[in-house]
PDB file of all heavy atoms in Angstrom:
ATOM      1  N   GLU A 227     -13.963  11.558 143.705  1.00 97.00           N
ATOM      2  CA  GLU A 227     -13.351  10.228 143.598  1.00 97.00           C
ATOM      3  C   GLU A 227     -13.263   9.768 142.149  1.00 97.00           C
ATOM      4  O   GLU A 227     -12.201   9.346 141.676  1.00 97.00           O
ATOM      5  CB  GLU A 227     -14.135   9.214 144.428  1.00 97.00           C
ATOM      6  CG  GLU A 227     -13.456   7.853 144.478  1.00 97.00           C
ATOM      7  CD  GLU A 227     -14.079   6.917 145.485  1.00 97.00           C
ATOM      8  OE1 GLU A 227     -14.708   7.402 146.438  1.00 97.00           O
ATOM      9  OE2 GLU A 227     -13.933   5.687 145.309  1.00 97.00           O
ATOM     10  N   ILE A 228     -14.366   9.854 141.437  1.00 98.00           N
ATOM     11  CA  ILE A 228     -14.347   9.397 140.048  1.00 98.00           C
ATOM     12  C   ILE A 228     -13.517  10.330 139.174  1.00 98.00           C
ATOM     13  O   ILE A 228     -12.794   9.877 138.281  1.00 98.00           O
ATOM     14  CB  ILE A 228     -15.779   9.224 139.493  1.00 98.00           C
ATOM     15  CG1 ILE A 228     -15.723   8.562 138.105  1.00 98.00           C
ATOM     16  CG2 ILE A 228     -16.527  10.545 139.441  1.00 98.00           C
ATOM     17  CD1 ILE A 228     -17.086   8.149 137.589  1.00 98.00           C
ATOM     18  N   MET A 229     -13.557  11.625 139.460  1.00 98.00           N
ATOM     19  CA  MET A 229     -12.746  12.557 138.663  1.00 98.00           C
ATOM     20  C   MET A 229     -11.268  12.340 138.921  1.00 98.00           C
ATOM     21  O   MET A 229     -10.444  12.462 138.015  1.00 98.00           O
ATOM     22  CB  MET A 229     -13.159  13.994 138.964  1.00 98.00           C
ATOM     23  CG  MET A 229     -14.537  14.374 138.428  1.00 98.00           C
ATOM     24  SD  MET A 229     -14.700  14.189 136.632  1.00 98.00           S
ATOM     25  CE  MET A 229     -13.762  15.635 136.071  1.00 98.00           C
ATOM     26  N   SER A 230     -10.909  11.986 140.154  1.00 97.00           N
ATOM     27  CA  SER A 230      -9.512  11.670 140.451  1.00 97.00           C
ATOM     28  C   SER A 230      -9.070  10.425 139.692  1.00 97.00           C
ATOM     29  O   SER A 230      -7.935  10.350 139.200  1.00 97.00           O
ATOM     30  CB  SER A 230      -9.337  11.468 141.955  1.00 97.00           C
ATOM     31  OG  SER A 230      -7.988  11.181 142.269  1.00 97.00           O
ATOM     32  N   SER A 231      -9.972   9.457 139.560  1.00 97.00           N
ATOM     33  CA  SER A 231      -9.661   8.245 138.796  1.00 97.00           C
ATOM     34  C   SER A 231      -9.408   8.552 137.329  1.00 97.00           C
ATOM     35  O   SER A 231      -8.709   7.803 136.639  1.00 97.00           O
ATOM     36  CB  SER A 231     -10.808   7.238 138.916  1.00 97.00           C
ATOM     37  OG  SER A 231     -10.979   6.824 140.257  1.00 97.00           O
ATOM     38  N   LEU A 232      -9.983   9.672 136.864  1.00 97.00           N
ATOM     39  CA  LEU A 232      -9.787  10.116 135.482  1.00 97.00           C
ATOM     40  C   LEU A 232      -8.620  11.094 135.368  1.00 97.00           C
ATOM     41  O   LEU A 232      -8.413  11.699 134.318  1.00 97.00           O
ATOM     42  CB  LEU A 232     -11.067  10.762 134.956  1.00 97.00           C
ATOM     43  CG  LEU A 232     -12.309   9.857 134.922  1.00 97.00           C
ATOM     44  CD1 LEU A 232     -13.547  10.666 134.536  1.00 97.00           C
ATOM     45  CD2 LEU A 232     -12.105   8.690 133.959  1.00 97.00           C
ATOM     46  N   ASP A 233      -7.871  11.253 136.480  1.00 97.00           N
ATOM     47  CA  ASP A 233      -6.715  12.147 136.552  1.00 97.00           C
ATOM     48  C   ASP A 233      -7.129  13.619 136.517  1.00 97.00           C
ATOM     49  O   ASP A 233      -6.408  14.469 136.006  1.00 97.00           O
ATOM     50  CB  ASP A 233      -5.709  11.848 135.435  1.00 97.00           C
ATOM     51  CG  ASP A 233      -4.294  12.294 135.807  1.00 97.00           C
ATOM     52  OD1 ASP A 233      -4.025  12.481 137.018  1.00 97.00           O
ATOM     53  OD2 ASP A 233      -3.464  12.474 134.902  1.00 97.00           O
ATOM     54  N   TYR A 234      -8.307  13.901 137.076  1.00 97.00           N
ATOM     55  CA  TYR A 234      -8.784  15.276 137.201  1.00 97.00           C
ATOM     56  C   TYR A 234      -9.053  15.592 138.673  1.00 97.00           C
ATOM     57  O   TYR A 234     -10.117  16.049 139.043  1.00 97.00           O
ATOM     58  CB  TYR A 234     -10.072  15.485 136.384  1.00 97.00           C
ATOM     59  CG  TYR A 234      -9.806  15.759 134.925  1.00 97.00           C
ATOM     60  CD1 TYR A 234      -9.657  14.715 134.016  1.00 97.00           C
ATOM     61  CD2 TYR A 234      -9.690  17.063 134.446  1.00 97.00           C
ATOM     62  CE1 TYR A 234      -9.406  14.961 132.679  1.00 97.00           C
ATOM     63  CE2 TYR A 234      -9.431  17.316 133.110  1.00 97.00           C
ATOM     64  CZ  TYR A 234      -9.294  16.263 132.228  1.00 97.00           C
ATOM     65  OH  TYR A 234      -9.031  16.507 130.898  1.00 97.00           O
ATOM     66  N   ASP A 235      -8.037  15.343 139.526  1.00 95.00           N
ATOM     67  CA  ASP A 235      -8.219  15.641 140.939  1.00 95.00           C
ATOM     68  C   ASP A 235      -8.166  17.145 141.202  1.00 95.00           C
ATOM     69  O   ASP A 235      -8.926  17.665 142.012  1.00 95.00           O
ATOM     70  CB  ASP A 235      -7.168  14.913 141.786  1.00 95.00           C
ATOM     71  CG  ASP A 235      -5.745  15.227 141.354  1.00 95.00           C
ATOM     72  OD1 ASP A 235      -5.542  15.553 140.164  1.00 95.00           O
ATOM     73  OD2 ASP A 235      -4.835  15.130 142.190  1.00 95.00           O
ATOM     74  N   ARG A 236      -7.267  17.837 140.475  1.00 95.00           N
ATOM     75  CA  ARG A 236      -7.165  19.299 140.593  1.00 95.00           C
ATOM     76  C   ARG A 236      -6.821  19.854 139.220  1.00 95.00           C
ATOM     77  O   ARG A 236      -5.847  19.431 138.599  1.00 95.00           O
ATOM     78  CB  ARG A 236      -6.077  19.726 141.596  1.00 95.00           C
ATOM     79  CG  ARG A 236      -6.290  19.269 143.010  1.00 95.00           C
ATOM     80  CD  ARG A 236      -5.346  19.963 144.008  1.00 95.00           C
ATOM     81  NE  ARG A 236      -4.032  20.254 143.457  1.00 95.00           N
ATOM     82  CZ  ARG A 236      -3.006  19.409 143.418  1.00 95.00           C
ATOM     83  NH1 ARG A 236      -3.167  18.169 143.851  1.00 95.00           N
ATOM     84  NH2 ARG A 236      -1.830  19.771 142.928  1.00 95.00           N
ATOM     85  N   LEU A 237      -7.594  20.806 138.778  1.00 96.00           N
ATOM     86  CA  LEU A 237      -7.348  21.383 137.459  1.00 96.00           C
ATOM     87  C   LEU A 237      -5.977  22.035 137.388  1.00 96.00           C
ATOM     88  O   LEU A 237      -5.269  21.920 136.382  1.00 96.00           O
ATOM     89  CB  LEU A 237      -8.445  22.412 137.142  1.00 96.00           C
ATOM     90  CG  LEU A 237      -8.551  22.881 135.680  1.00 96.00           C
ATOM     91  CD1 LEU A 237      -8.948  21.720 134.775  1.00 96.00           C
ATOM     92  CD2 LEU A 237      -9.579  24.003 135.567  1.00 96.00           C
ATOM     93  N   GLU A 238      -5.575  22.701 138.485  1.00 96.00           N
ATOM     94  CA  GLU A 238      -4.312  23.452 138.467  1.00 96.00           C
ATOM     95  C   GLU A 238      -3.087  22.546 138.371  1.00 96.00           C
ATOM     96  O   GLU A 238      -2.009  22.997 137.957  1.00 96.00           O
ATOM     97  CB  GLU A 238      -4.202  24.359 139.693  1.00 96.00           C
ATOM     98  CG  GLU A 238      -4.110  23.651 141.028  1.00 96.00           C
ATOM     99  CD  GLU A 238      -5.470  23.411 141.653  1.00 96.00           C
ATOM    100  OE1 GLU A 238      -6.478  23.415 140.921  1.00 96.00           O
ATOM    101  OE2 GLU A 238      -5.521  23.199 142.886  1.00 96.00           O
ATOM    102  N   ARG A 239      -3.215  21.295 138.758  1.00 96.00           N
ATOM    103  CA  ARG A 239      -2.062  20.397 138.715  1.00 96.00           C
ATOM    104  C   ARG A 239      -1.656  20.099 137.281  1.00 96.00           C
ATOM    105  O   ARG A 239      -0.472  20.125 136.944  1.00 96.00           O
ATOM    106  CB  ARG A 239      -2.380  19.103 139.464  1.00 96.00           C
ATOM    107  CG  ARG A 239      -1.234  18.086 139.421  1.00 96.00           C
ATOM    108  CD  ARG A 239      -1.567  16.829 140.213  1.00 96.00           C
ATOM    109  NE  ARG A 239      -2.722  16.129 139.679  1.00 96.00           N
ATOM    110  CZ  ARG A 239      -2.662  15.302 138.636  1.00 96.00           C
ATOM    111  NH1 ARG A 239      -1.509  15.091 137.985  1.00 96.00           N
ATOM    112  NH2 ARG A 239      -3.747  14.671 138.219  1.00 96.00           N
ATOM    113  N   ARG A 240      -2.637  19.841 136.422  1.00 96.00           N
ATOM    114  CA  ARG A 240      -2.327  19.444 135.052  1.00 96.00           C
ATOM    115  C   ARG A 240      -2.395  20.607 134.066  1.00 96.00           C
ATOM    116  O   ARG A 240      -1.699  20.601 133.054  1.00 96.00           O
ATOM    117  CB  ARG A 240      -3.280  18.338 134.612  1.00 96.00           C
ATOM    118  CG  ARG A 240      -3.109  17.063 135.434  1.00 96.00           C
ATOM    119  CD  ARG A 240      -3.982  15.968 134.896  1.00 96.00           C
ATOM    120  NE  ARG A 240      -3.690  15.680 133.514  1.00 96.00           N
ATOM    121  CZ  ARG A 240      -4.562  15.155 132.658  1.00 96.00           C
ATOM    122  NH1 ARG A 240      -5.790  14.882 133.062  1.00 96.00           N
ATOM    123  NH2 ARG A 240      -4.219  14.912 131.413  1.00 96.00           N
ATOM    124  N   PHE A 241      -3.247  21.566 134.360  1.00 98.00           N
ATOM    125  CA  PHE A 241      -3.456  22.675 133.420  1.00 98.00           C
ATOM    126  C   PHE A 241      -3.402  23.996 134.188  1.00 98.00           C
ATOM    127  O   PHE A 241      -4.423  24.663 134.397  1.00 98.00           O
ATOM    128  CB  PHE A 241      -4.814  22.521 132.714  1.00 98.00           C
ATOM    129  CG  PHE A 241      -5.016  21.174 132.080  1.00 98.00           C
ATOM    130  CD1 PHE A 241      -5.891  20.258 132.640  1.00 98.00           C
ATOM    131  CD2 PHE A 241      -4.316  20.820 130.940  1.00 98.00           C
ATOM    132  CE1 PHE A 241      -6.083  19.009 132.065  1.00 98.00           C
ATOM    133  CE2 PHE A 241      -4.497  19.571 130.360  1.00 98.00           C
ATOM    134  CZ  PHE A 241      -5.377  18.659 130.923  1.00 98.00           C
ATOM    135  N   PRO A 242      -2.202  24.397 134.623  1.00 97.00           N
ATOM    136  CA  PRO A 242      -2.095  25.575 135.490  1.00 97.00           C
ATOM    137  C   PRO A 242      -2.549  26.874 134.830  1.00 97.00           C
ATOM    138  O   PRO A 242      -3.181  27.715 135.487  1.00 97.00           O
ATOM    139  CB  PRO A 242      -0.605  25.629 135.849  1.00 97.00           C
ATOM    140  CG  PRO A 242       0.085  24.792 134.803  1.00 97.00           C
ATOM    141  CD  PRO A 242      -0.894  23.743 134.423  1.00 97.00           C
ATOM    142  N   ARG A 243      -2.250  27.052 133.553  1.00 98.00           N
ATOM    143  CA  ARG A 243      -2.687  28.279 132.877  1.00 98.00           C
ATOM    144  C   ARG A 243      -4.198  28.309 132.752  1.00 98.00           C
ATOM    145  O   ARG A 243      -4.843  29.345 132.944  1.00 98.00           O
ATOM    146  CB  ARG A 243      -2.047  28.377 131.488  1.00 98.00           C
ATOM    147  CG  ARG A 243      -0.542  28.593 131.501  1.00 98.00           C
ATOM    148  CD  ARG A 243       0.037  28.473 130.106  1.00 98.00           C
ATOM    149  NE  ARG A 243       1.478  28.635 130.093  1.00 98.00           N
ATOM    150  CZ  ARG A 243       2.257  28.340 129.075  1.00 98.00           C
ATOM    151  NH1 ARG A 243       1.712  27.874 127.943  1.00 98.00           N
ATOM    152  NH2 ARG A 243       3.564  28.506 129.133  1.00 98.00           N
ATOM    153  N   LEU A 244      -4.774  27.164 132.428  1.00 98.00           N
ATOM    154  CA  LEU A 244      -6.224  27.068 132.308  1.00 98.00           C
ATOM    155  C   LEU A 244      -6.899  27.313 133.657  1.00 98.00           C
ATOM    156  O   LEU A 244      -7.934  27.989 133.732  1.00 98.00           O
ATOM    157  CB  LEU A 244      -6.594  25.690 131.762  1.00 98.00           C
ATOM    158  CG  LEU A 244      -8.049  25.452 131.356  1.00 98.00           C
ATOM    159  CD1 LEU A 244      -8.478  26.449 130.284  1.00 98.00           C
ATOM    160  CD2 LEU A 244      -8.233  24.020 130.869  1.00 98.00           C
ATOM    161  N   SER A 245      -6.310  26.795 134.706  1.00 98.00           N
ATOM    162  CA  SER A 245      -6.848  27.011 136.046  1.00 98.00           C
ATOM    163  C   SER A 245      -6.793  28.487 136.436  1.00 98.00           C
ATOM    164  O   SER A 245      -7.766  29.036 136.970  1.00 98.00           O
ATOM    165  CB  SER A 245      -6.069  26.176 137.067  1.00 98.00           C
ATOM    166  OG  SER A 245      -6.546  26.411 138.368  1.00 98.00           O
ATOM    167  N   ASP A 246      -5.662  29.137 136.157  1.00 98.00           N
ATOM    168  CA  ASP A 246      -5.536  30.576 136.452  1.00 98.00           C
ATOM    169  C   ASP A 246      -6.546  31.379 135.636  1.00 98.00           C
ATOM    170  O   ASP A 246      -7.157  32.322 136.149  1.00 98.00           O
ATOM    171  CB  ASP A 246      -4.121  31.055 136.131  1.00 98.00           C
ATOM    172  CG  ASP A 246      -3.091  30.562 137.143  1.00 98.00           C
ATOM    173  OD1 ASP A 246      -3.501  30.070 138.219  1.00 98.00           O
ATOM    174  OD2 ASP A 246      -1.886  30.655 136.850  1.00 98.00           O
ATOM    175  N   TRP A 247      -6.701  31.006 134.372  1.00 98.00           N
ATOM    176  CA  TRP A 247      -7.682  31.691 133.514  1.00 98.00           C
ATOM    177  C   TRP A 247      -9.088  31.533 134.060  1.00 98.00           C
ATOM    178  O   TRP A 247      -9.862  32.492 134.097  1.00 98.00           O
ATOM    179  CB  TRP A 247      -7.577  31.118 132.100  1.00 98.00           C
ATOM    180  CG  TRP A 247      -8.749  31.403 131.215  1.00 98.00           C
ATOM    181  CD1 TRP A 247      -8.959  32.509 130.444  1.00 98.00           C
ATOM    182  CD2 TRP A 247      -9.889  30.551 130.997  1.00 98.00           C
ATOM    183  NE1 TRP A 247     -10.159  32.407 129.766  1.00 98.00           N
ATOM    184  CE2 TRP A 247     -10.740  31.219 130.096  1.00 98.00           C
ATOM    185  CE3 TRP A 247     -10.263  29.301 131.482  1.00 98.00           C
ATOM    186  CZ2 TRP A 247     -11.955  30.670 129.665  1.00 98.00           C
ATOM    187  CZ3 TRP A 247     -11.459  28.748 131.069  1.00 98.00           C
ATOM    188  CH2 TRP A 247     -12.287  29.440 130.164  1.00 98.00           C
ATOM    189  N   TYR A 248      -9.423  30.321 134.508  1.00 98.00           N
ATOM    190  CA  TYR A 248     -10.762  30.072 135.040  1.00 98.00           C
ATOM    191  C   TYR A 248     -11.027  30.973 136.253  1.00 98.00           C
ATOM    192  O   TYR A 248     -12.111  31.559 136.368  1.00 98.00           O
ATOM    193  CB  TYR A 248     -10.902  28.598 135.421  1.00 98.00           C
ATOM    194  CG  TYR A 248     -12.268  28.252 135.955  1.00 98.00           C
ATOM    195  CD1 TYR A 248     -13.344  28.079 135.093  1.00 98.00           C
ATOM    196  CD2 TYR A 248     -12.495  28.111 137.322  1.00 98.00           C
ATOM    197  CE1 TYR A 248     -14.609  27.775 135.579  1.00 98.00           C
ATOM    198  CE2 TYR A 248     -13.751  27.814 137.814  1.00 98.00           C
ATOM    199  CZ  TYR A 248     -14.803  27.650 136.940  1.00 98.00           C
ATOM    200  OH  TYR A 248     -16.051  27.370 137.422  1.00 98.00           O
ATOM    201  N   GLU A 249     -10.052  31.086 137.131  1.00 98.00           N
ATOM    202  CA  GLU A 249     -10.209  31.961 138.296  1.00 98.00           C
ATOM    203  C   GLU A 249     -10.312  33.425 137.877  1.00 98.00           C
ATOM    204  O   GLU A 249     -11.093  34.190 138.450  1.00 98.00           O
ATOM    205  CB  GLU A 249      -9.031  31.769 139.251  1.00 98.00           C
ATOM    206  CG  GLU A 249      -8.983  30.408 139.908  1.00 98.00           C
ATOM    207  CD  GLU A 249     -10.249  30.099 140.695  1.00 98.00           C
ATOM    208  OE1 GLU A 249     -10.761  31.015 141.377  1.00 98.00           O
ATOM    209  OE2 GLU A 249     -10.739  28.951 140.608  1.00 98.00           O
ATOM    210  N   ARG A 250      -9.541  33.801 136.872  1.00 98.00           N
ATOM    211  CA  ARG A 250      -9.557  35.183 136.390  1.00 98.00           C
ATOM    212  C   ARG A 250     -10.927  35.549 135.825  1.00 98.00           C
ATOM    213  O   ARG A 250     -11.474  36.615 136.112  1.00 98.00           O
ATOM    214  CB  ARG A 250      -8.464  35.351 135.330  1.00 98.00           C
ATOM    215  CG  ARG A 250      -8.145  36.791 134.946  1.00 98.00           C
ATOM    216  CD  ARG A 250      -6.965  36.831 133.977  1.00 98.00           C
ATOM    217  NE  ARG A 250      -5.782  36.254 134.574  1.00 98.00           N
ATOM    218  CZ  ARG A 250      -5.123  35.195 134.107  1.00 98.00           C
ATOM    219  NH1 ARG A 250      -5.532  34.596 133.001  1.00 98.00           N
ATOM    220  NH2 ARG A 250      -4.055  34.744 134.714  1.00 98.00           N
ATOM    221  N   VAL A 251     -11.490  34.648 135.020  1.00 98.00           N
ATOM    222  CA  VAL A 251     -12.822  34.908 134.467  1.00 98.00           C
ATOM    223  C   VAL A 251     -13.860  34.924 135.580  1.00 98.00           C
ATOM    224  O   VAL A 251     -14.773  35.757 135.589  1.00 98.00           O
ATOM    225  CB  VAL A 251     -13.180  33.853 133.400  1.00 98.00           C
ATOM    226  CG1 VAL A 251     -14.611  34.071 132.897  1.00 98.00           C
ATOM    227  CG2 VAL A 251     -12.209  33.914 132.230  1.00 98.00           C
ATOM    228  N   SER A 252     -13.716  34.025 136.542  1.00 98.00           N
ATOM    229  CA  SER A 252     -14.680  33.943 137.655  1.00 98.00           C
ATOM    230  C   SER A 252     -14.758  35.238 138.441  1.00 98.00           C
ATOM    231  O   SER A 252     -15.802  35.562 139.026  1.00 98.00           O
ATOM    232  CB  SER A 252     -14.295  32.804 138.601  1.00 98.00           C
ATOM    233  OG  SER A 252     -14.337  31.554 137.954  1.00 98.00           O
ATOM    234  N   GLU A 253     -13.647  35.979 138.467  1.00 98.00           N
ATOM    235  CA  GLU A 253     -13.598  37.211 139.243  1.00 98.00           C
ATOM    236  C   GLU A 253     -14.131  38.433 138.497  1.00 98.00           C
ATOM    237  O   GLU A 253     -14.256  39.517 139.077  1.00 98.00           O
ATOM    238  CB  GLU A 253     -12.156  37.478 139.691  1.00 98.00           C
ATOM    239  CG  GLU A 253     -11.652  36.442 140.712  1.00 98.00           C
ATOM    240  CD  GLU A 253     -10.168  36.550 140.979  1.00 98.00           C
ATOM    241  OE1 GLU A 253      -9.506  37.411 140.327  1.00 98.00           O
ATOM    242  OE2 GLU A 253      -9.661  35.779 141.811  1.00 98.00           O
ATOM    243  N   LEU A 254     -14.483  38.278 137.216  1.00 98.00           N
ATOM    244  CA  LEU A 254     -15.025  39.400 136.455  1.00 98.00           C
ATOM    245  C   LEU A 254     -16.413  39.767 136.980  1.00 98.00           C
ATOM    246  O   LEU A 254     -17.150  38.919 137.475  1.00 98.00           O
ATOM    247  CB  LEU A 254     -15.121  39.039 134.971  1.00 98.00           C
ATOM    248  CG  LEU A 254     -13.791  38.852 134.226  1.00 98.00           C
ATOM    249  CD1 LEU A 254     -14.053  38.311 132.826  1.00 98.00           C
ATOM    250  CD2 LEU A 254     -13.017  40.160 134.155  1.00 98.00           C
ATOM    251  N   PRO A 255     -16.800  41.044 136.882  1.00 97.00           N
ATOM    252  CA  PRO A 255     -18.114  41.466 137.383  1.00 97.00           C
ATOM    253  C   PRO A 255     -19.258  40.665 136.772  1.00 97.00           C
ATOM    254  O   PRO A 255     -19.324  40.491 135.555  1.00 97.00           O
ATOM    255  CB  PRO A 255     -18.188  42.940 136.957  1.00 97.00           C
ATOM    256  CG  PRO A 255     -16.770  43.377 136.814  1.00 97.00           C
ATOM    257  CD  PRO A 255     -16.019  42.172 136.329  1.00 97.00           C
ATOM    258  N   GLY A 256     -20.127  40.173 137.629  1.00 97.00           N
ATOM    259  CA  GLY A 256     -21.333  39.499 137.170  1.00 97.00           C
ATOM    260  C   GLY A 256     -21.186  38.042 136.800  1.00 97.00           C
ATOM    261  O   GLY A 256     -22.189  37.352 136.592  1.00 97.00           O
ATOM    262  N   VAL A 257     -19.962  37.530 136.724  1.00 97.00           N
ATOM    263  CA  VAL A 257     -19.768  36.152 136.251  1.00 97.00           C
ATOM    264  C   VAL A 257     -20.303  35.132 137.252  1.00 97.00           C
ATOM    265  O   VAL A 257     -20.950  34.148 136.879  1.00 97.00           O
ATOM    266  CB  VAL A 257     -18.286  35.891 135.915  1.00 97.00           C
ATOM    267  CG1 VAL A 257     -18.015  34.391 135.755  1.00 97.00           C
ATOM    268  CG2 VAL A 257     -17.905  36.630 134.634  1.00 97.00           C
ATOM    269  N   THR A 258     -20.061  35.356 138.536  1.00 95.00           N
ATOM    270  CA  THR A 258     -20.537  34.414 139.549  1.00 95.00           C
ATOM    271  C   THR A 258     -22.049  34.222 139.460  1.00 95.00           C
ATOM    272  O   THR A 258     -22.565  33.101 139.626  1.00 95.00           O
ATOM    273  CB  THR A 258     -20.159  34.901 140.960  1.00 95.00           C
ATOM    274  OG1 THR A 258     -18.728  34.998 141.040  1.00 95.00           O
ATOM    275  CG2 THR A 258     -20.641  33.935 142.021  1.00 95.00           C
ATOM    276  N   ALA A 259     -22.764  35.292 139.163  1.00 95.00           N
ATOM    277  CA  ALA A 259     -24.228  35.241 139.097  1.00 95.00           C
ATOM    278  C   ALA A 259     -24.735  34.462 137.887  1.00 95.00           C
ATOM    279  O   ALA A 259     -25.930  34.159 137.817  1.00 95.00           O
ATOM    280  CB  ALA A 259     -24.798  36.650 139.080  1.00 95.00           C
ATOM    281  N   THR A 260     -23.865  34.141 136.937  1.00 96.00           N
ATOM    282  CA  THR A 260     -24.296  33.369 135.761  1.00 96.00           C
ATOM    283  C   THR A 260     -24.246  31.871 136.003  1.00 96.00           C
ATOM    284  O   THR A 260     -24.755  31.101 135.178  1.00 96.00           O
ATOM    285  CB  THR A 260     -23.412  33.681 134.525  1.00 96.00           C
ATOM    286  OG1 THR A 260     -22.079  33.154 134.745  1.00 96.00           O
ATOM    287  CG2 THR A 260     -23.344  35.171 134.250  1.00 96.00           C
ATOM    288  N   ALA A 261     -23.638  31.436 137.104  1.00 95.00           N
ATOM    289  CA  ALA A 261     -23.503  30.003 137.370  1.00 95.00           C
ATOM    290  C   ALA A 261     -24.874  29.337 137.415  1.00 95.00           C
ATOM    291  O   ALA A 261     -25.872  29.971 137.767  1.00 95.00           O
ATOM    292  CB  ALA A 261     -22.768  29.783 138.689  1.00 95.00           C
ATOM    293  N   PRO A 262     -24.959  28.062 137.041  1.00 93.00           N
ATOM    294  CA  PRO A 262     -26.238  27.362 137.080  1.00 93.00           C
ATOM    295  C   PRO A 262     -26.967  27.544 138.407  1.00 93.00           C
ATOM    296  O   PRO A 262     -26.363  27.464 139.473  1.00 93.00           O
ATOM    297  CB  PRO A 262     -25.828  25.901 136.852  1.00 93.00           C
ATOM    298  CG  PRO A 262     -24.613  26.012 135.967  1.00 93.00           C
ATOM    299  CD  PRO A 262     -23.879  27.207 136.495  1.00 93.00           C
ATOM    300  N   LEU A 263     -28.256  27.779 138.309  1.00 86.00           N
ATOM    301  CA  LEU A 263     -29.074  28.126 139.462  1.00 86.00           C
ATOM    302  C   LEU A 263     -28.998  27.064 140.548  1.00 86.00           C
ATOM    303  O   LEU A 263     -28.867  27.375 141.737  1.00 86.00           O
ATOM    304  CB  LEU A 263     -30.521  28.321 139.014  1.00 86.00           C
ATOM    305  CG  LEU A 263     -31.484  29.009 139.976  1.00 86.00           C
ATOM    306  CD1 LEU A 263     -31.033  30.421 140.287  1.00 86.00           C
ATOM    307  CD2 LEU A 263     -32.885  29.002 139.403  1.00 86.00           C
TER     308      LEU A 263
END
């Protein structure tokens, strides 16, 4: 709700290349396991 108020409801809507890049990096080996515990 608050992020939508800041115009960040979906990353892909405003920054499609950045959103695709984020997904691409997320799919690299071992990256998911680095996320905050």
Side-chain angles (χ1 to χ4, degrees):
E227 186 170 336
I228 188 171
M229 290 301 285
S230 181
S231 297
L232 299 173
D233 205 19
Y234 277 87
D235 56 333
R236 298 192 326 275
L237 194 65
E238 65 270 21
R239 178 178 62 81
R240 296 185 58 206
F241 308 107
R243 292 172 182 167
L244 189 58
S245 178
D246 287 347
W247 163 86
Y248 181 78
E249 293 302 319
R250 193 175 300 120
V251 176
S252 298
E253 293 170 357
L254 292 172
V257 166
T258 300
T260 69
L263 194 61

